[in-house]
């Protein structure tokens, strides 16, 4: 009996050690490597939908004041420039950043369309970077039910191509919405210019009261993929119902 009891105790301890190791690895990953963010709005449609859980790499550009593990960024001296081992985000990257223009500050997710030195302009809904229009290819017309109002919204779905041949989908309702004419502005050093993929439903660097030029030290990390989503749209005749976003590139 004692031998059996000892064996059972050993098996229990092995199980505890295994679970403890799994928890330690998980805590290490979520503390130092990655974070998951919930998408609360439609500003990044069609790449991201309301309810998506997005995996964000906290170390993609190095660590910033808002991505250092264990909240260390908030206790370091003010003389620190807010970045460790930093590399520049690229046009086309989807980034999570801290918008300190909001009260209280909150995390937002947008796509980088301009980096330091770029001249950004929007004319009649078309994005211009350094005087050159970003090509866009028409894909189709979609109607979806807006999350907050529940009303149907019809948009044109395009594929937009940024310098470096990085393409991504965008939505445009029409090409004369309030933010469809903007600039030109030159992106300041140490910042990036961001826009939502759902161009007429995004408060971004174009908007008065939006985040403006996003300081690099406010960038939390780069969004890599959709982990999963807990929400499902209701399939209705004539309305677009997105599927297949899990583990898709952004």
């Amino acid at each position: 009996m004692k031998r059996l009891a000892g064996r059972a105790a050993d098996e229990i301890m092995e199980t505890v050690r295994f679970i403890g190791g799994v928890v330690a690895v998980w805590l290490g990953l979520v503390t130092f490597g990655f974070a998951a963010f919930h998408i609360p709005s439609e500003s990044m449609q069609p790449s991201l939908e309301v309810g998506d859980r997005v995996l964000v790499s906290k170390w993609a550009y190095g660590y910033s004041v808002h991505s250092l593990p264990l909240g260390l960024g908030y206790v370091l001296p003010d003389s620190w420039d807010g970045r460790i081992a930093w590399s520049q985000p690229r046009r086309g990257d989807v980034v999570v950043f801290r918008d300190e223009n909001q009260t209280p500050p909150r995390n937002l997710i947008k796509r980088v369309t301009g980096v330091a030195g770029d001249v950004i302009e929007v004319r009649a809904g078309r994005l211009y970077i350094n005087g050159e229009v970003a090509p866009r290819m028409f894909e189709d017309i979609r109607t979806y039910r807006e999350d907050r109002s529940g009303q149907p919204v019809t948009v044109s779905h395009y594929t937009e191509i940024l310098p470096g041949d990085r393409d991504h989908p965008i939505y445009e309702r029409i090409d004369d919405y309030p933010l469809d004419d903007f600039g030109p502005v030159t992106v300041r050093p140490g910042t990036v210019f961001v826009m939502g993929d759902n161009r007429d439903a995004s408060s971004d660097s174009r908007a008065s009261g939006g985040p403006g030029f996003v300081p690099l030290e406010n960038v939390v990390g780069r969004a890599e993929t959709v982990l999963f989503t807990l929400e499902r749209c209701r399939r209705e005749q004539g309305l677009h119902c997105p599927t297949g976003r899990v583990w898709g590139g952004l």
Side-chain angles (χ1 to χ4, degrees):
M1 288 294 293
K2 289 182 179 180
R3 185 177 297 175
L4 291 175
R7 187 178 301 168
D10 289 342
E11 290 178 354
I12 291 172
M13 289 305 300
E14 283 296 323
T15 301
V16 169
R17 280 194 289 267
F18 173 77
I19 294 174
V22 170
V23 170
V25 170
W26 180 80
L27 287 174
L29 286 174
V30 300
T31 301
F32 294 92
F34 298 93
F37 286 86
H38 167 260
I39 303 302
S41 74
E42 297 162 336
S43 69
M44 281 297 292
Q45 287 178 316
S47 300
L48 296 171
E49 300 286 341
V50 176
D52 285 352
R53 265 63 176 181
V54 178
L55 183 69
V56 175
S57 169
K58 298 167 69 173
W59 45 265
Y61 310 119
Y63 289 103
S64 74
V65 62
H66 297 296
S67 62
L68 272 174
L70 307 176
L72 294 177
Y74 301 111
V75 298
L76 291 175
D78 293 338
S79 58
W80 179 48
D81 70 358
R83 291 171 281 168
I84 294 177
W86 192 261
S87 62
Q88 177 81 14
R90 298 168 56 205
R91 300 186 200 95
D93 287 355
V94 177
V95 296
V96 171
F97 61 93
R98 192 75 166 167
D99 182 10
E100 295 184 336
N101 293 331
Q102 302 291 325
T103 304
R106 58 183 178 139
N107 290 330
L108 300 180
I109 184 167
K110 306 289 181 186
R111 191 178 300 274
V112 174
T113 54
V115 297
D118 282 346
V119 177
I120 302 296
E121 184 175 7
V122 181
R123 297 184 223 154
R126 300 298 302 274
L127 171 64
Y128 288 76
I129 302 174
N130 300 323
E132 299 289 334
V133 65
R136 73 180 189 187
M137 298 176 292
F138 177 77
E139 302 292 347
D140 54 36
I141 299 290
R142 295 179 176 178
T143 300
Y144 66 88
R145 192 171 296 282
E146 197 172 45
D147 182 67
R148 291 186 179 179
S149 71
Q151 297 300 310
V153 175
T154 299
V155 295
S156 296
H157 169 214
Y158 298 95
T159 294
E160 183 177 74
I161 305 173
L162 299 179
D165 291 329
R166 300 194 69 186
D167 63 84
H168 59 275
I170 63 171
Y171 280 171
E172 281 277 7
R173 297 188 186 187
I174 53 177
D175 280 333
D176 62 356
Y177 247 58
L179 297 181
D180 280 337
D181 286 284
F182 170 86
V185 296
T186 301
V187 183
R188 295 198 298 265
T191 68
V192 289
F193 190 94
V194 297
M195 297 173 67
D197 289 348
N198 194 348
R199 293 290 166 78
D200 296 325
S202 174
S203 178
D204 48 42
S205 291
R206 300 170 293 167
S208 175
F213 296 130
V214 177
L216 294 181
E217 58 266 26
N218 287 358
V219 174
V220 176
R222 182 177 65 208
E224 304 289 357
T225 186
V226 178
L227 284 173
F228 60 91
T229 181
L230 296 179
E231 297 190 21
R232 294 287 186 271
C233 56
R234 186 176 65 201
R235 295 189 179 277
E236 300 175 79
Q237 184 69 31
L239 294 185
H240 176 66
C241 183
T243 59
R245 297 186 307 282
V246 177
W247 293 112
L250 299 177

